[in-house]
Amino acid sequence: MTETPRLPGLTLADADWLVASALAVGAERGFPPLAVAVIDVSGAVIVLRRADGGMPMTSRIAVAKARTALLSLQPSGQINLPGPIVDSIQHLHDGDFIPFAGGVLITDNGVVLGAAGASGAHAIEDEEAVQTATDRWHEYRSRTD
Protein backbone atom coordinates (compact mmCIF):
# COMPACT_ATOMS: atom_id res chain seq x y z
CA MET A 1 0.00 0.00 0.00
CA THR A 2 1.28 3.45 -0.92
CA GLU A 3 1.64 6.02 1.83
CA THR A 4 -0.68 9.01 1.40
CA PRO A 5 1.31 12.21 0.84
CA ARG A 6 0.68 15.19 3.07
CA LEU A 7 1.40 18.87 2.87
CA PRO A 8 4.37 20.12 4.85
CA GLY A 9 3.58 22.26 7.83
CA LEU A 10 1.37 22.10 10.87
CA THR A 11 -0.01 18.93 12.37
CA LEU A 12 -3.46 18.64 13.90
CA ALA A 13 -1.79 18.64 17.33
CA ASP A 14 0.01 21.90 16.46
CA ALA A 15 -3.21 23.51 15.26
CA ASP A 16 -5.13 22.35 18.34
CA TRP A 17 -2.38 23.74 20.59
CA LEU A 18 -2.37 27.11 18.80
CA VAL A 19 -6.16 27.51 18.89
CA ALA A 20 -6.43 26.51 22.55
CA SER A 21 -3.62 28.91 23.41
CA ALA A 22 -5.18 31.84 21.50
CA LEU A 23 -8.55 31.25 23.17
CA ALA A 24 -6.80 31.13 26.55
CA VAL A 25 -4.99 34.42 25.80
CA GLY A 26 -8.31 36.04 24.97
CA ALA A 27 -9.86 34.79 28.21
CA GLU A 28 -6.79 35.78 30.29
CA ARG A 29 -6.88 39.32 28.94
CA GLY A 30 -10.63 39.76 29.21
CA PHE A 31 -11.31 40.01 25.47
CA PRO A 32 -14.82 39.34 24.17
CA PRO A 33 -15.38 35.73 23.03
CA LEU A 34 -13.08 34.91 20.11
CA ALA A 35 -13.24 32.59 17.16
CA VAL A 36 -9.79 31.26 16.22
CA ALA A 37 -8.79 29.41 13.07
CA VAL A 38 -5.58 27.72 12.01
CA ILE A 39 -5.09 26.90 8.34
CA ASP A 40 -2.51 24.89 6.43
CA VAL A 41 -0.31 26.14 3.59
CA SER A 42 -3.09 25.50 1.06
CA GLY A 43 -5.51 27.74 2.99
CA ALA A 44 -7.64 24.83 4.19
CA VAL A 45 -8.90 24.94 7.77
CA ILE A 46 -7.21 22.53 10.18
CA VAL A 47 -8.95 23.74 13.36
CA LEU A 48 -11.67 26.31 13.97
CA ARG A 49 -13.17 26.97 17.38
CA ARG A 50 -15.43 29.71 18.72
CA ALA A 51 -15.60 30.55 22.40
CA ASP A 52 -18.96 30.30 24.14
CA GLY A 53 -20.95 33.46 23.52
CA GLY A 54 -19.05 34.37 20.36
CA MET A 55 -20.98 35.76 17.41
CA PRO A 56 -21.45 33.23 14.58
CA MET A 57 -19.94 35.57 11.97
CA THR A 58 -16.62 35.63 13.84
CA SER A 59 -15.83 32.09 12.69
CA ARG A 60 -15.83 33.03 9.00
CA ILE A 61 -13.91 36.24 9.70
CA ALA A 62 -11.21 34.36 11.65
CA VAL A 63 -10.67 32.03 8.69
CA ALA A 64 -10.59 34.98 6.28
CA LYS A 65 -7.99 36.81 8.37
CA ALA A 66 -5.77 33.71 8.43
CA ARG A 67 -6.14 33.30 4.65
CA THR A 68 -5.34 36.99 4.17
CA ALA A 69 -2.06 36.57 6.06
CA LEU A 70 -1.26 33.48 3.98
CA LEU A 71 -2.13 35.12 0.64
CA SER A 72 -0.09 38.25 1.39
CA LEU A 73 2.73 36.52 3.33
CA GLN A 74 2.40 39.09 6.10
CA PRO A 75 0.14 39.86 9.05
CA SER A 76 -3.31 40.84 7.79
CA GLY A 77 -3.17 44.15 9.64
CA GLN A 78 -0.05 45.30 7.78
CA ILE A 79 -1.70 45.32 4.37
CA ASN A 80 -1.98 48.83 3.00
CA LEU A 81 -3.72 48.75 -0.37
CA PRO A 82 -6.18 51.15 -2.03
CA GLY A 83 -9.85 50.21 -1.68
CA PRO A 84 -10.39 49.21 -5.33
CA ILE A 85 -7.48 46.77 -5.15
CA VAL A 86 -8.81 45.28 -1.91
CA ASP A 87 -12.23 44.94 -3.57
CA SER A 88 -10.68 43.12 -6.53
CA ILE A 89 -8.74 40.73 -4.30
CA GLN A 90 -11.86 40.07 -2.20
CA HIS A 91 -13.74 39.24 -5.39
CA LEU A 92 -11.01 36.86 -6.55
CA HIS A 93 -10.97 35.06 -3.20
CA ASP A 94 -14.72 34.95 -2.50
CA GLY A 95 -14.50 37.50 0.31
CA ASP A 96 -11.69 35.68 2.14
CA PHE A 97 -9.40 38.71 2.07
CA ILE A 98 -9.73 41.03 5.06
CA PRO A 99 -6.92 43.57 5.50
CA PHE A 100 -7.51 44.14 9.21
CA ALA A 101 -5.40 42.97 12.14
CA GLY A 102 -6.04 39.46 13.38
CA GLY A 103 -4.27 37.15 10.93
CA VAL A 104 -0.65 36.03 11.35
CA LEU A 105 1.68 33.65 9.58
CA ILE A 106 3.05 30.65 11.42
CA THR A 107 6.63 30.09 10.30
CA ASP A 108 9.66 28.04 11.19
CA ASN A 109 13.07 29.35 10.13
CA GLY A 110 11.48 31.53 7.45
CA VAL A 111 9.30 28.74 6.04
CA VAL A 112 5.53 29.23 6.15
CA LEU A 113 3.80 26.34 7.94
CA GLY A 114 0.31 27.87 7.94
CA ALA A 115 -1.53 30.83 9.42
CA ALA A 116 -3.81 31.70 12.31
CA GLY A 117 -6.66 34.17 12.49
CA ALA A 118 -8.94 35.46 15.22
CA SER A 119 -12.09 37.54 15.34
CA GLY A 120 -14.51 38.70 18.00
CA ALA A 121 -12.63 41.43 19.84
CA HIS A 122 -11.06 44.62 18.51
CA ALA A 123 -8.80 43.79 15.58
CA ILE A 124 -5.64 44.62 17.55
CA GLU A 125 -6.79 42.27 20.34
CA ASP A 126 -7.57 39.54 17.79
CA GLU A 127 -4.02 39.81 16.52
CA GLU A 128 -2.58 39.96 20.03
CA ALA A 129 -4.28 36.63 20.84
CA VAL A 130 -2.99 34.74 17.80
CA GLN A 131 0.46 36.35 17.85
CA THR A 132 0.90 35.54 21.55
CA ALA A 133 -0.27 31.97 20.91
CA THR A 134 2.20 31.66 18.03
CA ASP A 135 5.05 33.02 20.18
CA ARG A 136 4.13 30.59 22.97
CA TRP A 137 3.99 27.71 20.47
CA HIS A 138 7.51 28.53 19.27
CA GLU A 139 8.74 28.55 22.89
CA TYR A 140 6.94 25.25 23.58
CA ARG A 141 8.44 23.63 20.49
CA SER A 142 11.95 24.79 21.38
CA ARG A 143 11.62 23.05 24.79
CA THR A 144 10.24 19.80 23.34
CA ASP A 145 12.50 19.40 20.28
Side-chain angles (χ1 to χ4, degrees):
M1 178 178 229
T2 306
E3 189 174 321
T4 303
R6 76 174 197 90
L7 290 170
L10 300 168
T11 65
L12 176 58
D14 293 328
D16 279 335
W17 199 102
L18 286 156
V19 168
S21 181
L23 289 171
V25 169
E28 289 165 11
R29 299 189 182 169
F31 299 164
L34 297 176
V36 180
V38 172
I39 63 173
D40 66 19
V41 293
S42 76
V45 175
I46 302 172
V47 175
L48 170 62
R49 291 178 60 200
R50 188 178 68 233
D52 293 342
M55 292 181 287
M57 69 179 168
T58 60
S59 297
R60 173 83 192 256
I61 295 169
V63 172
K65 286 181 177 182
R67 287 182 176 150
T68 300
L70 185 65
L71 288 168
S72 64
L73 297 176
Q74 63 182 325
S76 58
Q78 292 183 6
I79 298 167
N80 187 16
L81 296 171
I85 292 175
V86 169
D87 292 345
S88 296
I89 296 169
Q90 286 175 329
H91 177 73
L92 288 170
H93 292 281
D94 297 324
D96 277 346
F97 186 82
I98 299 179
F100 293 102
V104 300
L105 290 174
I106 302 166
T107 62
D108 185 31
N109 294 319
V111 175
V112 175
L113 304 177
S119 179
H122 293 287
I124 298 298
E125 294 170 334
D126 294 342
E127 187 158 322
E128 181 180 337
V130 289
Q131 186 60 60
T132 301
T134 300
D135 293 344
R136 289 178 180 177
W137 178 74
H138 280 289
E139 291 171 20
Y140 169 78
R141 283 188 64 203
S142 70
R143 290 192 311 267
T144 60
D145 284 343

